[in-house]
Structures are given as structure tokens and as C-alpha cells.
Amino acid sequence: PKPMIKIGEVPLIEHQVRNIASAGIGKIYISINYLGEIIEEYLGCGEKFGIEIHYLREEIKLGTAGPLSLLPETPTKPILVINGDIFTASDFNALFSFHASAKSELTIGAIDYRMDIPFGVINMNGDRVIEILEKPSQRYLCSAGIYAISPRALQVVPRGSKYNMTELISENLNLGIPVSAFPIHELWSDIGTKDDLE
């Protein structure tokens, strides 16, 4: 499984567990599906990391937010949700502080992503060129796969069906529930591809 890929000598998921434990979080739920037993066997109950680990077993793939419906009880406080293929040194306590001060129900950890265009970009008005920009770059604030989510925002997650985080965010926005973005400036990498991993 992707979270077991080693970063240096240590599996990615161990880096995540240690980072979460160092933030003072005492209990982790890990959603597992394909080859999940490898993760479960490696991490166990979390005792060696000083944290309590439980497993949410997906019988079918539930997407990035669907596994939240498998939590054994509804949280009473905001929870941290992080994708399993993220390598980061993010300050989770700063995320939670921001989440509280913004009076948000769902806070998206966000990275600044820049796309460099290797050509001159032409702006037109009809068939007339009005401007040419030499190799411009565009910047976007993008989801980092890290979230602080309050119980109210979780209420829309359907039980036992595929549901992605983008759907959870959109549904909360449609309901008028406050959603914020928290800029992440620390080390962050998605190891979704071989190039990203390297």
C-alpha cells in the first residue's frame, strides 16, 4: 500500500503517525482497504508510538471522505483528517488554532501551487491581439489533503457509500456552513507519483 512506501528508512505512514502523536493527538483511526492488513500488522495498536490506533475497514472503496461514516462514534470536537499519501511537517496545532479562531466548521489545509507556462501567452479581443505575456506563471491555492473538521460538517457524510472530500466541502458550502483555508508553509509533498516520491 502507498502509505507503506519508505521515505528514507521509515514508511510514510509511520512519519504521519509520529507527527500526529507529537501534536498531542491521542487516538488515530486509519481507513484501510486493499492490503490494509500490511498497515495494521506494521502499526499494531500504536503502543510503540505512544498513541492509540484503530482501523476502519472499508468493504468497498469509500473515497476520501466516505470512511468518516465508519467512525464508531460521532466526534464531539474537531478532528484531523489527512490523506495517506501526504508527507508533511505541517503544524497541526496551528491548523486547529486557526480553525477555532476562524469559527470554521471545516478548514482545508492549502498549499500554494505555481504553474509555469513555457510559452508566450496571447490575450485576444475578437481576432485582435491585445497583449502577449512572456512565459507567465499562474498561482493557485490547492487542497493539501489535510483538514480540520468539526462535528457539524461531518453530518452530511452518507453511511457506507463512496464520498469524496470535494463533495463534503461542496455540500457544506451549499448549506452555508463556514469553510476556511489554512495556508501550509512547512514541508509538504504528495507522493502520488514516482517523481513526487523521488
Side-chain angles (χ1 to χ4, degrees), residues 14-26 28 49-51 88-93:
E14 182 177 338
H15 286 285
Q16 288 185 333
V17 166
R18 290 187 184 280
N19 196 14
I20 291 166
S22 70
I25 296 170
I28 296 177
F49 306 107
I51 197 164
T88 186
S90 297
D91 183 342
F92 300 135
N93 288 315

Side-chain angles (χ1 to χ4, degrees), residues 3-165:
M4 289 299 294
I5 292 172
K6 289 189 176 177
I7 308 291
E9 301 292 314
V10 179
L12 170 62
I13 198 158
E14 182 177 338
H15 286 285
Q16 288 185 333
V17 166
R18 290 187 184 280
N19 196 14
I20 291 166
S22 70
I25 296 170
K27 187 187 291 187
I28 296 177
Y29 288 92
I30 299 173
S31 175
I32 55 174
N33 185 274
Y34 177 68
L35 298 178
E37 64 279 1
I38 295 171
I39 294 170
E40 192 171 358
E41 185 179 311
Y42 183 81
L43 295 175
C45 65
E47 186 177 8
K48 65 183 173 184
F49 306 107
I51 197 164
E52 194 178 317
I53 298 177
H54 301 273
Y55 299 90
L56 305 173
R57 290 173 182 81
E58 295 180 55
E59 299 302 320
I60 58 166
K61 290 187 179 183
L62 296 176
T64 51
L68 295 169
S69 72
L70 301 177
L71 290 170
E73 59 214 21
T74 303
T76 56
K77 296 186 283 191
I79 62 170
L80 172 72
V81 176
I82 181 169
N83 292 358
D85 57 359
I86 302 298
F87 181 66
T88 186
S90 297
D91 183 342
F92 300 135
N93 288 315
L95 170 66
F96 280 117
S97 293
F98 176 88
H99 180 72
S101 67
K103 295 183 174 49
S104 189
E105 297 293 330
L106 196 160
T107 299
I108 307 164
I111 54 153
D112 185 36
Y113 184 78
R114 183 175 143 173
M115 262 179 30
D116 294 321
I117 299 170
F119 309 105
V121 173
I122 300 168
N123 288 326
M124 306 280 292
N125 183 1
D127 62 355
R128 297 281 185 212
V129 173
I130 57 171
E131 178 183 36
I132 185 162
L133 303 170
E134 182 61 27
K135 299 181 181 178
S137 63
Q138 294 183 338
R139 295 176 73 178
Y140 299 94
L141 205 53
C142 298
S143 173
I146 302 169
Y147 312 88
I149 307 177
S150 293
R152 180 179 173 205
L154 289 171
Q155 291 175 357
V156 300
V157 178
R159 289 206 64 79
S161 59
K162 187 173 182 179
Y163 194 67
N164 286 315
M165 195 59 74

